[in-house]
Amino acid sequence: MSHAATAGDHGHDDHDHKPPFFQRWFMSTNHKDIGTLYLIFSLTMLFVGGAMALVIRAELFQPGLQFVDPHFFNQMTTVHALIMVFGAVMPGFVGFANWMLPLMVGAPDMALPRMNNWSFWILPFAFAILLGSFFVPGGAPASGWTLYAPLTIQGGMSVDMGIVAIHMMGISSIMGAINVIVTVLNMRAPGMTLMKMPMFVWTWLITAFLLIAVMPVFAGAVTMLLTDRHFGTAFFNPAGGGDPVLYQHIFWFFGHPEVYIMILPAFGIISHIIPTFARKPLFGYSSMVFATAAIAFLSFIVWAHHMFTVGMPLQGELFFMYATMLISVPTGVKVFNWVTTMWRGSMTFETPMLYAIGVVFLFTLGGLSGLMLAITPADFQYHDTYFVVAHFHYVLFAGAVMAMMGGTFFWLPKWTGHMYNETLGKIHFWLTAIFFNITFFPQHFLGLAGMPRRYADYPVQFTEFNQWSSVGAFGLGLSQLLFVYIIVATVRGGKKATAEVWENPEGLEWTVPSPAPFHTFDEPPVVK
Amino acid sequence: MSAQSKDHYYVPDSSAYPFLCSIALFCIAMGAASMLNGYSFAPTLMSAGFLGMAVLLFIWFRSVIIESPDYNMDVDRSFRMGMSWFIFSEVMFFAAFFGALYYIRMLSIPWLADTELLWPGFEATWPSTGPQGAELLAGVAPSANSIAEGTEYALVDPWHLPLYNTLLLLASSVTLTISHHALRAEKRGQTIIWLAITVILGAIFLFLQVEEYIEAYTELGLTLGTGVYGSTFFMLTGFHGFHVCLGAFILLVVLIRYMKGHFNAERHFAFEAGAWYWHFVDTVWVGLFIFVYIL
Amino acid sequence: MVLSQHIKSLSKISTFGAFLVAALFSGLAQAEYRLNFQDPVTEVARDIFGLHMLIFWICVAIFVAVFAVMFYSIFAHRKSKNYEPAQFSHSTSVEIVWTIVPFLILVVMAVPATQVLIKMEDTTKSDLTIKITGYQWKWGYDYLGLDQDISFYSTLSTPRNQIDQFDKENAQPQGENYLLETDNVLVVPSGRKVRALITANDVIHAWWIPAFGTKKDAIPGYINELWFNVDEGKEGIYRGQCAELCGKDHAFMPIVVKVVTGAEFDAWVAAGGSFDASNIADQTLDAPSIVETQAVVIETQDDAPVSVIEAIIPSAQAADQPSAKTWTKEELMTKGESVSASCAACHGADGSGIPGVFPAIAGSAVATGSIDEHIKIVMFGKPGTAMAAFGGQLSDDEIAAVVTYQRNSFGNDTGDIVLPADVQAKRN
Ligand code: HEA
Ligand code: HEA
Ligand code: CUA
Ligand SMILES: [Cu+2]
């Protein structure tokens, strides 16, 4: 049924007419509701994956095995990462895209609304399979989130469940990405040229391109795993002429762009928050766009920096080292642009701004440790130690997840029509930032001193920093309960938000009332 | 909301298909994983999934077709873009397998041959079943689960069936284009005939491909388990064959819809989408013919 | 693991919070920790350390510079100070500068990095070649090109009750070299270029000695190379760990290298067994020395006193000549129990395995069925699974003993006795 057919029954200007519960939440074609579903899903997964991280941290509190056996520990590591990456961060950003892209480009909805809903609904089922694998004989996949062959060839049924779950997540991501690209390229309001698009739209456009380019490659990699496991192929079996390292190449051809898939939308969000609270336009808009594109381009030719120790030929190692180092240049451009946006602004420090500043600060720290990892000879020492773990939690948690938190506070009034409690928001920021650093900063030292990652147990000299890290992790976890409380409280009530919410923010999303009506931009706005 | 007319972007009402399709997909996926591990309920679950998916997609597409008069050119453009990006994702899927082929031929086989210490006497040749092929055949090494049949195999002669198949697919691209031109020129009879010929060429292709597989398995000793050559050969041609099936099916549906009068000279997105897909499948085949069969 | 065990584990975690803080602060005192790399003992490791510190300080400098600007701005350009916002939004010249300058900084980092890398990859002109093989979960070492074969395995020697802290009753406190000690150690000379050929038998492992600045993945079917040349004067014990996830006991396959002087090494090799182990025992480092090694191996070998070299090259040679000894069932069972410690990693000390991953031996169709099949799977393993071929690692005596043991324990009471001769018949 179309709106055309039902328009008569529903009356004309009833922008807020919402369908009954089941129809609204399970059959939705509304980008805002689907966005909400994505965001709730993402938050849930953050807790599930976080709970697993807490199991890891509990076991690592002291040397020796206190709580779980090593096999279960490996399952925790693996599923923690898969859940966080594919369940928390990626869907989280898709949620933001769903909510904000149509509002930002002045479109009535996403371009392909039913497919949009399908993209979402695949996810709960995919994760049901992934989490269900805990209950089959042998437990969940235990080979690390990278699922390296031949370790995965050894695993039990859970590996197959993991693989089909990944296929489903891939289908979901590809459909979601197609939707984003089509919406952005086809549904912009008249007058909104590409170079007038808000940064978040740009970063998502490029992210979507990355997704479509690499998710199928990942699907191909795990398909080869599956046939090696069950149908006698020898892609990764040297006896038959294959190579285990081939898996790594294919995986990281996906895996490296994947990490930028998780950070570019965060860059987009930051690029909205900082100008708003600096009361000054974003510095260097066009260089921001080009830097994002450059990062995306480079991300395709650096993958083997995850594999410096597999014994590549020297020329290969040099090439991948140089290419990886180059990514620092466009990323640096972004950081400098943000700092310059703040320069001589008139800043206030509401929660979203605190988050944005925190993200820039901590992401840069993580980015610089990434640059250290890129230096091949040094990476021989860092590789597969907690130094790497520290690096990627700085860019992933402090970069991606904290950007999502900042984005949530930034747009929550628009979504719910209520202002959140500013004091609690600030407390949440400080708790998160401090506990985050207690958790992950010591891991740098652990890694340098030689603690390998994916270890259920470790030599005694690593005890102290692990204890800091574990205490920090529990603090970090508990602090997130406050996050949930603030959101729930804001949904249920609070000071009414104005349409603009903040002082003179830029963008179409601030021209519609708060909460944003169920349907917006039936008539496309005109952008000058 | 305001009445939906052609000057508005068509936003469909809520729909149960996506949710139901997700359930079907779940059944397929879970069914597949359980089947590989020998659960007796698995085939039922998987078939139910496939059946459900087929029915749902049928209904879903049907409702799109019914709505389509309400679509304006913007919606049409969304569909086109969506289809192109979908094809791009398919390209990348094949790229993974072509990449694997390249890597194995150009890097891993020579490296294995250089590894005297572990694989004495193994020489880098292509095609190859890898270093253990000979021992396995001689029964010296315990049979690895990865190498089922040993190494005595012969190659598929590229200048026989594969060449016919290449010609068939290339011809089908031409016939499809003729049909498209006829459609634009509103020559109904010609459109139908050339489109039908395209589908038939596709079907013959598939038939020959099955022949080739049977021959490979029964006469040449070339199987999925014949080392890495068998793996790359069957995975690449197999996934391609699967895509031909899909493409031919799409064109068949387009043909039926055309006969029912669904398209006109200006608006025939489904026809074009099918045609793009077909050309994509064709191009992949040319890559296969060169890199898998000839070189 | 089955579900109930998961739940048990998780409920244990909930009690964790209670002693968390208390334990933290009591823990502080005992730990001796470091913030940076271990002291390098090879030229390459020193180069890496220098490179590491160089890039580290460059990064610190960049970080400080960027955030000095940002925090100044945060401090000075805030609304509460009634600061009026400027409205500039781009400046081509500034943008060019901050593209070029970082690029130049990168060049400064890339040059030394390239030099060190080229040096690291040059494995030519080595004085000694050792083949290193990763197994789930131990290391195998073969010295190549020496007059006599030296090859042995090296397994974690930390007692299980230091590791398992699940039940506090039987748990022991961890020793100083907890998880960093092995039964046999790799012996290498200082002052000579040692080339290692690294491979693996089952899954990928990685051989890593931080103090040498070496880390390479051990990839089944392929050989990777690395080299190190330990400075003279730096003889001693060096420890490392497996650095690539290789399954359940990834954390439990350490590497211990004993560096001796060139002369000592030559004596060790040339004397072919008469080498006096006490010369190279390194008491100051309080590490498992060759002496201890000998002791460990002697326990499992029932012949008269063995020399050091025999002690570290146990099975391969022994395998050629099945002992003439006549075995009783009791002897086989006792020996079998000790050998089966290396099976317990997967099949469990009680033979229960891990369902779905490692089959139980208790009640197993193989271990209660055909003896031939049983011997075969132990000798040749099952390719494509974690079940490795133990034929090369264990002597006929040991295989016979462990098979006998498995067929008569964990409730498998077949009563069968398997003799070394039965095993030998299956070889070749
Ligand atoms: C959001 C995710 C994210 C992001 C953005 C990054 C960003 C970067 N990463 Fe990271 N990385 C991961 C997620 C991410 N990474 C993950 C998950 C892993 C581990 C995977 C696994 O094994 O499980 C990993 C691992 C990883 C490795 C492999 C380590 C190993 O296993 O041995 C390497 C090596 O090169 C690396 C490098 C980099 C670099 C150079 C960047 C750069 O993009 C950073 C660029 C940013 C800056 C440099 C800071 C800002 C710049 C300036 C202030 C300008 C001035 C600077 C200079 C001139 C130097 N990363
Ligand atoms: C976006 C990605 C992301 C995020 C957000 C996180 C978040 C966290 N991660 Fe993780 N992590 C990865 C991605 C991520 N991680 C990846 C890719 C790996 C590599 C895996 C591999 O090696 O294969 C990894 C590995 C990894 C390790 C190394 C494991 C190993 O090598 O064995 C550790 C160890 O400390 C760790 C810890 C944490 C912690 C403490 C958090 C904290 O930030 C989490 C904070 C906690 C919460 C937010 C949840 C709050 C929960 C509660 C309050 C409890 C309530 C409980 C219920 C409701 C059930 N992670
Ligand atoms: Cu061997 Cu990890
Ligand atoms: Cu990367």
Side-chain angles (χ1 to χ4, degrees):
Chain A
M1 268 198 307
S2 72
H3 288 303
T6 55
D9 320 336
H10 292 169
H12 230 67
D13 287 310
D14 187 3
H15 278 243
D16 253 2
H17 175 85
K18 295 185 183 96
F21 182 83
F22 187 84
Q23 198 178 344
R24 176 169 183 199
W25 295 111
F26 289 82
M27 299 165 56
S28 180
T29 47
N30 180 290
H31 71 101
K32 302 186 185 76
D33 281 353
I34 297 175
T36 305
L37 287 171
Y38 264 113
L39 290 171
I40 293 172
F41 180 78
S42 157
L43 188 60
T44 314
M45 284 296 144
L46 182 72
F47 272 78
V48 176
M52 293 177 185
L54 297 186
V55 176
I56 294 173
R57 285 315 328 165
E59 180 54 58
L60 292 179
F61 183 70
Q62 282 182 315
L65 300 175
Q66 286 81 19
F67 304 108
V68 295
D69 70 273
H71 184 61
F72 187 66
F73 181 91
N74 290 344
Q75 297 173 34
M76 284 289 126
T77 301
T78 307
V79 183
H80 157 67
L82 289 172
I83 296 258
M84 286 301 199
V85 169
F86 296 101
V89 175
M90 290 168 66
F93 282 128
V94 182
F96 277 93
N98 256 300
W99 251 103
M100 301 318 297
L101 291 188
L103 288 180
M104 286 177 166
V105 301
D109 205 300
M110 296 293 277
L112 305 161
R114 274 176 296 221
M115 193 169 90
N116 195 18
N117 195 30
W118 198 15
S119 307
F120 171 75
W121 275 108
I122 288 176
L123 287 179
F125 291 101
F127 281 89
I129 295 182
L130 182 65
L131 290 170
S133 71
F134 276 107
F135 304 102
V136 299
S143 50
W145 78 289
T146 49
L147 304 175
Y148 277 6
L151 192 58
T152 25
I153 307 287
Q154 287 182 358
M157 172 166 180
S158 63
V159 177
D160 304 319
M161 293 172 75
I163 289 172
V164 294
I166 285 168
H167 277 302
M168 289 172 75
M169 296 169 205
I171 294 172
S172 156
S173 295
I174 292 170
M175 290 198 300
I178 290 178
N179 228 330
V180 166
I181 294 196
V182 176
T183 307
V184 173
L185 292 184
N186 193 31
M187 312 255 310
R188 294 190 313 273
M192 181 173 286
T193 58
L194 284 177
M195 290 310 278
K196 277 189 190 161
M197 289 193 316
M199 264 326 279
F200 183 66
V201 180
W202 258 115
T203 52
W204 241 113
L205 178 66
I206 291 170
T207 303
F209 168 74
L210 290 179
L211 275 169
I212 300 180
V214 300
M215 288 311 289
V217 175
F218 190 25
V222 293
T223 303
M224 290 181 224
L225 267 187
L226 195 75
T227 58
D228 265 20
R229 282 170 55 77
H230 293 287
F231 301 109
T233 58
F235 289 105
F236 311 130
N237 181 346
D243 187 349
V245 174
L246 170 60
Y247 175 82
Q248 302 185 17
H249 280 290
I250 310 178
F251 177 86
W252 288 115
F253 182 84
F254 146 81
H256 188 83
E258 166 70 18
V259 306
Y260 293 106
I261 287 168
M262 292 188 280
I263 201 68
L264 292 183
F267 288 173
I269 293 175
I270 301 303
S271 303
H272 283 247
I273 297 178
I274 293 182
T276 305
F277 296 96
R279 293 168 182 75
K280 189 164 154 284
L282 180 67
F283 185 82
Y285 170 86
S286 50
S287 68
M288 284 299 229
V289 172
F290 290 123
T292 312
I295 292 173
F297 168 75
L298 287 171
S299 75
F300 285 108
I301 53 166
V302 301
W303 74 88
H305 64 218
H306 295 272
M307 311 163 50
F308 282 140
T309 60
V310 299
M312 270 180 289
L314 176 66
Q315 302 88 309
E317 287 180 330
L318 288 174
F319 170 80
F320 286 110
M321 169 168 77
Y322 299 148
T324 305
M325 292 171 77
L326 271 185
I327 296 192
S328 310
V329 175
T331 317
V333 167
K334 303 206 77 138
V335 172
F336 301 142
N337 280 336
W338 289 324
V339 172
T340 315
T341 306
M342 292 184 222
W343 186 254
R344 296 183 50 211
S346 173
M347 276 187 272
T348 51
F349 301 94
E350 289 86 345
T351 312
M353 184 62 164
L354 289 181
Y355 268 101
I357 293 170
V359 168
V360 174
F361 186 80
L362 296 172
F363 169 81
T364 303
L365 206 162
L368 291 170
S369 66
L371 181 67
M372 294 174 72
L373 291 168
I375 310 292
T376 313
D379 181 66
F380 284 126
Q381 289 297 307
Y382 309 139
H383 177 67
D384 262 332
T385 67
Y386 265 77
F387 192 77
V388 178
V389 177
H391 156 67
F392 66 72
H393 283 94
Y394 267 82
V395 282
L396 277 171
F397 189 91
V401 175
M402 282 175 64
M404 285 203 275
M405 290 172 174
T408 304
F409 286 112
F410 188 49
W411 284 307
L412 200 56
K414 178 57 65 189
W415 299 337
T416 61
H418 303 294
M419 295 306 286
Y420 60 86
N421 181 328
E422 193 62 60
T423 318
L424 287 182
K426 285 183 175 159
I427 292 177
H428 177 251
F429 167 78
W430 286 110
L431 285 176
T432 303
I434 291 169
F435 279 119
F436 169 80
N437 281 291
I438 297 179
T439 311
F440 293 108
F441 202 76
Q443 294 188 356
H444 290 109
F445 302 129
L446 283 173
L448 294 179
M451 176 164 163
R453 60 191 281 209
R454 297 162 167 175
Y455 263 32
D457 192 7
Y458 52 85
V460 284
Q461 68 266 36
F462 302 130
T463 311
E464 171 171 337
F465 286 130
N466 270 303
Q467 294 183 330
W468 281 104
S469 188
S470 293
V471 172
F474 277 82
L476 184 59
L478 288 179
S479 315
Q480 302 323 312
L481 297 176
L482 179 59
F483 185 56
V484 177
Y485 171 78
I486 298 174
I487 294 177
V488 172
T490 312
V491 171
R492 303 179 102 201
K495 212 175 92 213
K496 281 262 166 286
T498 60
E500 289 215 315
V501 182
W502 313 109
E503 213 181 300
N504 267 322
E506 260 212 67
L508 288 175
E509 75 264 36
W510 310 110
T511 62
V512 301
S514 304
F518 198 55
H519 293 292
T520 36
F521 298 128
D522 287 337
E523 297 295 337
V526 176
V527 180
K528 286 163 285 348
Chain B
M1 83 166 283
S2 51
Q4 215 148 9
S5 63
K6 284 216 173 183
D7 50 292
H8 279 85
Y9 195 89
Y10 184 94
V11 178
D13 256 354
S14 32
S15 154
Y17 311 138
F19 182 68
L20 297 174
C21 280
S22 303
I23 296 179
L25 193 61
F26 171 82
C27 297
I28 296 173
M30 203 52 223
S34 335
M35 199 142 100
L36 292 171
N37 291 276
Y39 285 90
S40 53
F41 65 84
T44 323
L45 183 62
M46 200 164 135
S47 323
F50 274 118
L51 190 72
M53 185 67 97
V55 171
L56 282 162
L57 287 183
F58 180 82
I59 311 179
W60 186 340
F61 280 111
R62 186 167 166 273
S63 62
V64 171
I65 292 166
I66 294 172
E67 288 161 2
S68 63
D70 290 338
Y71 295 165
N72 61 11
M73 283 327 267
D74 284 338
V75 181
D76 201 57
R77 197 162 341 116
S78 290
F79 282 0
R80 281 158 199 278
M81 288 179 168
M83 188 67 194
S84 342
W85 286 101
F86 168 65
I87 290 178
F88 175 59
S89 79
E90 292 269 44
V91 170
M92 293 310 291
F93 182 75
F94 275 99
F97 289 90
F98 274 107
L101 175 68
Y102 171 85
Y103 181 92
I104 284 166
R105 285 187 63 170
M106 307 311 286
L107 299 171
S108 64
I109 293 286
W111 283 340
L112 283 168
D114 275 350
T115 312
E116 270 301 302
L117 196 60
L118 299 179
W119 312 113
F122 175 64
E123 307 245 355
T125 53
W126 187 259
S128 170
T129 55
Q132 285 221 324
E135 285 96 323
L136 287 164
L137 194 65
V140 177
S143 79
N145 73 335
S146 297
I147 301 172
E149 297 287 306
T151 46
E152 289 255 309
Y153 64 94
L155 296 188
V156 177
D157 174 14
W159 306 114
H160 183 57
L161 285 183
L163 178 66
Y164 303 159
N165 267 347
T166 311
L167 297 176
L168 279 174
L169 277 193
L170 289 179
S172 75
S173 261
V174 176
T175 54
L176 184 57
T177 309
I178 299 178
S179 168
H180 194 186
H181 280 290
L183 170 61
R184 280 211 224 120
E186 310 212 6
K187 294 186 190 146
R188 198 177 149 79
Q190 290 205 16
T191 312
I192 294 180
I193 291 176
W194 288 109
L195 188 54
I197 292 178
T198 311
V199 175
I200 292 168
L201 289 175
I204 300 178
F205 172 93
L206 285 170
F207 175 76
L208 291 184
Q209 175 109 3
V210 170
E211 280 289 294
E212 181 185 311
Y213 277 13
I214 293 176
E215 194 182 306
Y217 263 80
T218 56
E219 283 161 38
L220 305 179
L222 178 64
T223 72
L224 193 59
T226 317
V228 79
Y229 178 67
S231 312
T232 49
F233 176 85
F234 282 103
M235 291 291 274
L236 273 161
T237 56
F239 271 118
H240 174 265
F242 172 68
H243 282 79
V244 175
C245 281
L246 212 68
F249 181 72
I250 295 175
L251 290 181
L252 186 66
V253 172
V254 167
L255 178 62
I256 296 170
R257 285 188 60 198
Y258 182 72
M259 297 205 289
K260 288 188 156 189
H262 283 193
F263 306 127
N264 61 36
E266 283 80 43
R267 298 208 42 177
H268 47 262
F269 163 71
F271 187 107
E272 288 185 32
W276 293 343
Y277 197 75
W278 194 254
H279 291 311
F280 150 71
V281 170
D282 233 22
T283 317
V284 172
W285 176 262
V286 175
L288 286 179
F289 187 57
I290 296 174
F291 292 109
V292 175
Y293 289 98
I294 301 183
L295 291 182
Chain C
M1 243 169 58
V2 292
L3 178 63
S4 64
Q5 273 168 298
H6 291 186
I7 291 171
K8 222 160 64 196
S9 309
L10 291 172
S11 72
K12 276 194 227 160
I13 288 161
S14 56
T15 60
F16 171 82
F19 69 92
L20 192 78
V21 179
L24 174 63
F25 291 104
S26 64
L28 286 183
Q30 71 169 40
E32 181 227 326
Y33 62 92
R34 49 185 312 137
L35 303 172
N36 210 337
F37 286 173
Q38 294 181 18
D39 300 331
V41 296
T42 66
E43 193 189 323
V44 166
R46 269 193 307 279
D47 288 348
I48 294 178
F49 189 73
L51 188 61
H52 159 69
M53 292 316 284
L54 172 76
I55 53 181
F56 171 69
W57 285 115
I58 292 180
C59 287
V60 170
I62 295 172
F63 194 76
V64 170
V66 172
F67 290 101
V69 174
M70 189 182 87
F71 283 112
Y72 174 78
S73 181
I74 287 176
F75 172 75
H77 307 149
R78 45 171 69 219
K79 195 180 179 196
S80 53
K81 296 200 169 175
N82 285 324
Y83 195 88
E84 271 303 307
Q87 286 303 323
F88 63 86
S89 71
H90 48 261
S91 155
T92 312
S93 45
V94 173
E95 306 243 0
I96 290 176
V97 169
W98 70 42
T99 309
I100 307 265
V101 171
F103 183 80
L104 296 178
I105 298 177
L106 293 180
V107 174
V108 170
M109 297 162 107
V111 171
T114 307
Q115 286 164 346
V116 177
L117 190 60
I118 290 173
K119 193 195 263 181
M120 290 179 83
E121 294 294 323
D122 176 16
T123 53
T124 56
K125 301 207 196 78
S126 61
D127 302 308
L128 171 67
T129 302
I130 300 171
K131 181 179 166 218
I132 301 176
T133 311
Y135 297 84
Q136 280 172 318
W137 292 280
K138 56 176 159 281
W139 292 97
Y141 299 104
D142 300 84
Y143 290 72
L144 303 183
L146 297 183
D147 292 338
Q148 58 271 81
D149 290 342
I150 302 183
S151 52
F152 53 88
Y153 295 91
S154 166
T155 318
L156 177 76
S157 61
T158 299
R160 200 68 222 177
N161 55 8
Q162 290 187 15
I163 298 172
D164 288 336
Q165 305 281 327
F166 298 108
D167 94 76
K168 296 271 173 236
E169 306 273 286
N170 300 320
Q172 298 278 306
Q174 283 106 7
E176 191 189 345
N177 290 314
Y178 176 69
L179 297 192
L180 290 173
E181 48 205 352
T182 57
D183 50 5
N184 296 330
V185 304
L186 180 67
V187 180
V188 296
S190 61
R192 293 192 197 160
K193 184 165 180 176
V194 180
R195 180 171 76 127
L197 304 180
I198 299 178
T199 184
N201 190 49
D202 31 46
V203 300
I204 304 176
H205 306 261
W207 195 83
W208 181 31
I209 299 289
F212 295 178
T214 59
K215 183 188 288 156
K216 265 281 152 67
D217 288 0
I219 295 168
Y222 291 80
I223 287 191
N224 274 329
E225 297 184 27
L226 62 79
W227 68 274
F228 53 86
N229 186 342
V230 181
D231 299 341
E232 291 185 49
K234 293 285 185 185
E235 293 78 15
I237 299 273
Y238 296 97
R239 298 163 200 279
Q241 288 176 289
C242 177
E244 179 63 58
L245 178 60
C246 51
K248 182 164 87 49
D249 282 358
H250 168 48
F252 304 100
M253 51 182 292
I255 299 152
V256 181
V257 181
K258 182 165 184 68
V259 181
V260 297
T261 62
E264 284 171 323
F265 182 77
D266 290 339
W268 181 71
V269 173
S274 64
F275 187 75
D276 180 5
S278 58
N279 278 343
I280 56 168
D282 194 333
Q283 305 304 342
T284 53
L285 276 157
D286 188 27
S289 62
I290 294 286
V291 183
E292 291 170 28
T293 303
Q294 185 179 9
V296 170
V297 182
I298 286 171
E299 268 177 18
T300 62
Q301 213 121 77
D302 11 31
D303 316 283
V306 266
S307 66
V308 177
I309 295 214
E310 275 167 353
I312 36 184
I313 359 164
S315 37
Q317 285 184 339
D320 297 334
Q321 3 156 326
S323 67
K325 185 171 166 24
T326 40
W327 292 82
T328 66
K329 187 173 176 193
E330 277 62 49
E331 285 169 328
L332 284 168
M333 287 298 281
T334 324
K335 187 181 173 71
E337 185 171 5
S338 78
V339 175
S340 93
S342 65
C343 317
C346 298
H347 296 291
D350 57 355
S352 62
I354 298 178
V357 187
F358 304 121
I361 297 299
S364 135
V366 175
T368 56
S370 145
I371 299 184
D372 273 8
E373 283 305 310
H374 195 169
I375 298 178
K376 250 209 203 114
I377 196 165
V378 180
M379 279 176 75
F380 300 118
K382 183 112 191 245
T385 74
M387 182 62 202
F390 284 92
Q393 305 182 23
L394 302 177
S395 67
D396 291 351
D397 293 359
E398 288 167 326
I399 295 179
V402 77
V403 171
T404 307
Y405 176 71
Q406 289 191 336
R407 299 185 77 80
N408 295 290
S409 324
F410 324 129
N412 298 349
D413 20 49
T414 57
D416 299 332
I417 300 178
V418 179
L419 294 173
D422 303 333
V423 178
Q424 206 211 2
K426 297 265 169 344
R427 283 196 195 271
N428 52 63

